[in-house]
Amino acid sequence: MDIPQDPIILLSYVNTNLRDHYATLQEFCSVHQISEQSLRDTLSSVDYHYDEITNQFV
């Protein structure tokens, strides 16, 4: 599956995957072959930031 381009849909997609399948953001990005910084920047543009403790964007 392609990664969603809309930031809000992307947020839901990433958080669901982090919750259900990946222990870290780094692992998610590696498997999906996407730039972690790019993902952080995209979600930051809609005021969401990665929280390592909860392993989700909040």
Side-chain angles (χ1 to χ4, degrees):
M1 177 177 179
D2 291 326
I3 302 292
Q5 298 301 308
D6 179 271
I8 299 301
I9 296 171
L10 178 62
L11 170 68
S12 177
Y13 177 80
V14 171
N15 276 346
T16 298
N17 273 275
L18 289 172
R19 180 191 69 215
D20 294 346
H21 305 291
Y22 302 101
T24 66
L25 179 60
Q26 295 82 8
E27 182 182 357
F28 172 84
C29 290
S30 176
V31 168
H32 290 277
Q33 299 179 342
I34 60 173
S35 161
E36 181 179 338
Q37 190 58 52
S38 176
L39 180 60
R40 286 176 180 264
D41 291 345
T42 299
L43 294 178
S44 173
S45 74
V46 289
D47 294 324
Y48 283 87
H49 306 280
Y50 183 66
D51 178 22
E52 292 181 16
I53 295 170
T54 61
N55 190 35
Q56 67 180 352
F57 282 85
V58 293

